[in-house]
Short mmCIF file of all heavy atoms in Angstrom, two decimals:
data_model
loop_
_atom_site.label_atom_id
_atom_site.label_comp_id
_atom_site.label_asym_id
_atom_site.label_seq_id
_atom_site.Cartn_x
_atom_site.Cartn_y
_atom_site.Cartn_z
N THR B 340 -53.69 6.35 -17.38
CA THR B 340 -54.32 5.11 -17.85
C THR B 340 -54.95 4.38 -16.66
O THR B 340 -56.11 3.98 -16.70
CB THR B 340 -53.29 4.20 -18.55
OG1 THR B 340 -52.48 4.98 -19.40
CG2 THR B 340 -53.96 3.10 -19.32
N PHE B 341 -54.16 4.22 -15.61
CA PHE B 341 -54.68 3.54 -14.41
C PHE B 341 -55.85 4.31 -13.81
O PHE B 341 -56.81 3.72 -13.31
CB PHE B 341 -53.58 3.38 -13.36
CG PHE B 341 -52.62 2.24 -13.65
CD1 PHE B 341 -51.25 2.45 -13.70
CD2 PHE B 341 -53.09 0.95 -13.86
CE1 PHE B 341 -50.37 1.42 -13.96
CE2 PHE B 341 -52.21 -0.10 -14.12
CZ PHE B 341 -50.85 0.14 -14.17
N ALA B 342 -55.78 5.64 -13.88
CA ALA B 342 -56.84 6.45 -13.27
C ALA B 342 -58.16 6.33 -14.02
O ALA B 342 -59.21 6.64 -13.49
CB ALA B 342 -56.40 7.92 -13.21
N ASN B 343 -58.12 5.84 -15.26
CA ASN B 343 -59.35 5.65 -16.03
C ASN B 343 -60.06 4.34 -15.69
O ASN B 343 -61.24 4.18 -15.98
CB ASN B 343 -59.03 5.65 -17.52
CG ASN B 343 -59.12 7.04 -18.13
OD1 ASN B 343 -60.15 7.69 -18.04
ND2 ASN B 343 -58.04 7.49 -18.73
N ILE B 344 -59.31 3.37 -15.13
CA ILE B 344 -59.82 2.01 -15.00
C ILE B 344 -61.06 1.89 -14.13
O ILE B 344 -62.06 1.28 -14.52
CB ILE B 344 -58.70 1.07 -14.46
CG1 ILE B 344 -57.51 1.04 -15.43
CG2 ILE B 344 -59.23 -0.33 -14.21
CD1 ILE B 344 -57.82 0.52 -16.82
N SER B 345 -61.05 2.51 -12.94
CA SER B 345 -62.19 2.29 -12.04
C SER B 345 -63.49 2.78 -12.68
O SER B 345 -64.53 2.12 -12.54
CB SER B 345 -61.94 2.94 -10.68
OG SER B 345 -61.75 4.33 -10.84
N ALA B 346 -63.44 3.88 -13.41
CA ALA B 346 -64.66 4.39 -14.06
C ALA B 346 -65.13 3.41 -15.13
O ALA B 346 -66.34 3.19 -15.30
CB ALA B 346 -64.40 5.76 -14.67
N ILE B 347 -64.20 2.80 -15.85
CA ILE B 347 -64.57 1.84 -16.89
C ILE B 347 -65.25 0.63 -16.28
O ILE B 347 -66.26 0.12 -16.77
CB ILE B 347 -63.33 1.42 -17.71
CG1 ILE B 347 -62.84 2.60 -18.56
CG2 ILE B 347 -63.63 0.20 -18.59
CD1 ILE B 347 -61.52 2.37 -19.25
N ILE B 348 -64.71 0.15 -15.15
CA ILE B 348 -65.29 -1.02 -14.50
C ILE B 348 -66.69 -0.70 -13.96
O ILE B 348 -67.63 -1.47 -14.13
CB ILE B 348 -64.37 -1.54 -13.37
CG1 ILE B 348 -63.01 -1.96 -13.94
CG2 ILE B 348 -65.03 -2.67 -12.59
CD1 ILE B 348 -63.02 -3.16 -14.86
N VAL B 349 -66.82 0.46 -13.32
CA VAL B 349 -68.10 0.80 -12.70
C VAL B 349 -69.17 1.07 -13.77
O VAL B 349 -70.27 0.54 -13.71
CB VAL B 349 -67.96 2.02 -11.76
CG1 VAL B 349 -69.32 2.53 -11.31
CG2 VAL B 349 -67.12 1.63 -10.55
N HIS B 350 -68.83 1.89 -14.76
CA HIS B 350 -69.84 2.30 -15.74
C HIS B 350 -69.84 1.43 -16.99
O HIS B 350 -70.74 1.54 -17.82
CB HIS B 350 -69.63 3.75 -16.15
CG HIS B 350 -69.65 4.70 -15.00
ND1 HIS B 350 -70.79 4.97 -14.28
CD2 HIS B 350 -68.67 5.43 -14.42
CE1 HIS B 350 -70.49 5.84 -13.31
NE2 HIS B 350 -69.21 6.13 -13.38
N GLY B 351 -68.82 0.63 -17.19
CA GLY B 351 -68.76 -0.23 -18.37
C GLY B 351 -68.00 0.39 -19.53
O GLY B 351 -67.94 1.62 -19.66
N GLY B 352 -67.45 -0.47 -20.36
CA GLY B 352 -66.67 -0.02 -21.51
C GLY B 352 -67.51 0.76 -22.50
O GLY B 352 -67.05 1.71 -23.13
N GLU B 353 -68.78 0.35 -22.61
CA GLU B 353 -69.71 0.99 -23.54
C GLU B 353 -69.85 2.49 -23.21
O GLU B 353 -69.78 3.35 -24.07
CB GLU B 353 -71.08 0.30 -23.41
CG GLU B 353 -72.05 0.61 -24.50
CD GLU B 353 -71.58 0.12 -25.86
OE1 GLU B 353 -71.12 -1.03 -25.94
OE2 GLU B 353 -71.65 0.91 -26.82
N TRP B 354 -70.02 2.74 -21.91
CA TRP B 354 -70.16 4.12 -21.43
C TRP B 354 -68.93 4.94 -21.78
O TRP B 354 -69.03 6.09 -22.18
CB TRP B 354 -70.38 4.09 -19.91
CG TRP B 354 -70.20 5.41 -19.24
CD1 TRP B 354 -71.13 6.38 -19.10
CD2 TRP B 354 -69.01 5.91 -18.61
NE1 TRP B 354 -70.59 7.46 -18.43
CE2 TRP B 354 -69.29 7.19 -18.12
CE3 TRP B 354 -67.73 5.39 -18.42
CZ2 TRP B 354 -68.36 7.96 -17.45
CZ3 TRP B 354 -66.78 6.16 -17.76
CH2 TRP B 354 -67.10 7.43 -17.29
N PHE B 355 -67.76 4.31 -21.64
CA PHE B 355 -66.51 5.01 -21.89
C PHE B 355 -66.40 5.43 -23.36
O PHE B 355 -65.94 6.52 -23.68
CB PHE B 355 -65.33 4.11 -21.50
CG PHE B 355 -64.01 4.81 -21.45
CD1 PHE B 355 -63.67 5.59 -20.35
CD2 PHE B 355 -63.10 4.70 -22.49
CE1 PHE B 355 -62.45 6.24 -20.30
CE2 PHE B 355 -61.88 5.36 -22.44
CZ PHE B 355 -61.55 6.12 -21.34
#
Side-chain angles (χ1 to χ4, degrees):
Chain B
T340 316
F341 282 126
N343 269 304
I344 299 299
S345 59
I347 291 172
I348 298 294
V349 170
H350 304 291
E353 193 64 46
W354 165 85
F355 192 79

